[in-house]
Amino acid sequence: MPKTRLLLAAGLACLGLPFAVPSTAAASTPIDKELSFTCPFPLIGKQKLAVEVKAAFEVPSAPGGTFTTSDLTVSVTVPDKSTRGLALVGAASIEGTASAGVTLANGSLTLPLNLPLTVAKTAVPPSGAFTTRATGSVPPVQLPNAGRTTLTIGDFSTRLTPKKADGSFTGLGSFTSDCTLDPGQDPVLLSFDLGSSQTEHRYGVTGSTAVKALGATAPLTGSFAAGPEFGPAFDRTRAEFKVFGFVPGSADLQFTPDGPQTGELDGDGFAVHTNLSLTLPQVTLFGVPLADAGCRASTPIPVDLRTGGGFALATGGPVSGAYTIPPLTGCGAFTTYLSSLFQGDGNTFSLVLTAR
């Protein structure tokens, strides 16, 4: 009976393994790992138990993100001789609690974790092997540092209670046992390099800008950076429009970064705060040029560009923002008139970024 009791305690102690794992992140990373643990028992010496750990982890894309875990299952097969021992004392089920030790290392941070777990009530057959499982709450953990991040299994402790069919205790009562990971195994469940806000993300740009006052949309191409540098680099484009609904016109538009371009990564997206100068190298009505070469917006245009739903740093996605065009200057004799055509708020960027 002591052998049965301690073997089961060791096996179920291992059930706590995965639930000490914190987690979060972009794409789900599944693991399926088999490990061997040894439990020293009085009278019978050391015993080995095999444990299978399955889980899915979400890894943040940048420091400050949250590491989470889901679909955790830890299975321990209780051997036949332990099953028979439990049957001898009239055990019809076994249940209990466990404490799992896991170490999370994130750059310079080392965080020991001990989480309380619940060993599910499991029916004990008259003979043969059976499988036990445990569950537990897994709080998310914020990872503040860039660099190598690892999740490593440590030691475990469990307290188990076999019960008879009527719910009463067996002669074993409740007992505690500890287990350690056998040497020569890789104790790391997960290892990854956590990027920093300085990780470089480069994209190609397609999309458009809408100039509300003109009632016109111009296609946009170019490039986009999101860390360590932030901001767009748009190619020159052309908007076709009609004045009074019938006079055909066109305007070449060139948006160029003007001054510091800042931004921040936010989970799997970002926000960019940019100032853009707008020049209009050519404006025509009926095909006749109206603007001088120096035609431009009188002040830089502030724009906040933010990622939208479905965006992923690794692949790209939608980005949008709104802006106001100030009065124009340097357009020559038609400056005042051209300003009336272009200036105003409600203008937009609608972009799609594709990772390069």
Side-chain angles (χ1 to χ4, degrees):
M1 286 190 295
K3 180 177 180 180
T4 299
R5 181 180 71 181
L6 293 172
L7 278 173
L8 286 173
L12 292 172
C14 296
L15 291 176
L17 246 67
F19 302 103
V21 179
S23 50
T24 264
S28 179
T29 303
I31 66 159
D32 186 345
K33 192 163 189 174
E34 294 184 359
L35 297 166
S36 172
F37 289 82
T38 294
C39 303
F41 302 130
L43 302 178
I44 62 173
K46 296 180 179 180
Q47 301 295 321
K48 291 182 181 290
L49 289 170
V51 176
E52 182 181 28
V53 180
K54 291 184 178 182
F57 300 100
E58 295 290 335
V59 178
S61 58
T66 304
F67 179 50
T68 59
T69 189
S70 61
D71 301 327
L72 288 168
T73 303
V74 179
S75 302
V76 176
T77 300
V78 179
D80 174 67
K81 57 185 176 181
S82 297
T83 304
R84 292 180 183 275
L86 284 172
L88 286 175
V89 296
S93 65
I94 192 164
E95 59 192 272
T97 60
S99 176
V102 171
T103 299
L104 177 66
N106 169 229
S108 60
L109 173 69
T110 299
L111 183 63
L113 302 171
N114 286 289
L115 297 185
L117 312 169
T118 299
V119 178
K121 183 176 180 180
T122 305
V124 178
S127 62
F130 69 97
T131 300
T132 57
R133 294 180 176 84
T135 59
S137 176
V138 185
V141 173
Q142 189 176 49
L143 303 181
N145 300 319
R148 197 67 177 172
T149 301
T150 58
L151 188 67
T152 306
I153 293 174
D155 297 332
F156 303 89
S157 179
T158 185
R159 184 166 180 80
L160 301 170
T161 303
K163 291 184 179 181
K164 298 179 180 180
D166 62 3
S168 62
F169 293 99
T170 68
L172 298 178
S174 297
F175 52 88
T176 300
S177 183
D178 301 323
C179 290
T180 57
L181 184 68
D182 290 337
Q185 301 181 94
D186 179 8
V188 177
L189 279 181
L190 187 67
S191 180
F192 59 94
D193 288 312
L194 181 61
S196 72
S197 58
Q198 298 303 303
T199 299
E200 181 179 82
H201 300 282
R202 300 285 178 177
Y203 307 92
V205 172
T206 58
S208 62
T209 182
V211 181
K212 182 179 179 181
L214 286 180
T217 299
L220 285 176
T221 57
S223 62
F224 208 107
E229 299 175 354
F230 287 87
F234 294 124
D235 299 326
R236 180 167 167 171
T237 187
R238 174 169 293 183
E240 304 285 347
F241 59 92
K242 290 186 177 181
V243 178
F244 307 123
F246 65 92
V247 179
S250 69
D252 287 4
L253 308 175
Q254 178 69 69
F255 293 94
T256 306
D258 187 330
Q261 316 294 301
T262 63
E264 60 275 344
L265 300 179
D266 181 14
D268 207 27
F270 59 78
V272 171
H273 316 294
T274 183
N275 287 296
L276 301 174
S277 65
L278 171 61
T279 58
L280 294 84
Q282 180 171 287
V283 181
T284 67
L285 288 178
F286 282 120
V288 178
L290 298 183
D292 289 354
C295 188
R296 66 191 185 278
S298 56
T299 60
I301 299 171
V303 187
D304 286 338
L305 295 166
R306 300 180 184 276
T307 54
F311 188 93
L313 286 172
T315 56
V319 171
S320 61
Y323 62 98
T324 298
I325 297 177
L328 302 185
T329 188
C331 302
F334 294 98
T335 294
T336 300
Y337 175 67
L338 292 177
S339 283
S340 69
L341 293 181
F342 286 86
Q343 74 181 81
D345 59 12
N347 312 293
T348 60
F349 288 111
S350 299
L351 311 175
V352 176
L353 308 190
T354 303
R356 289 179 169 175

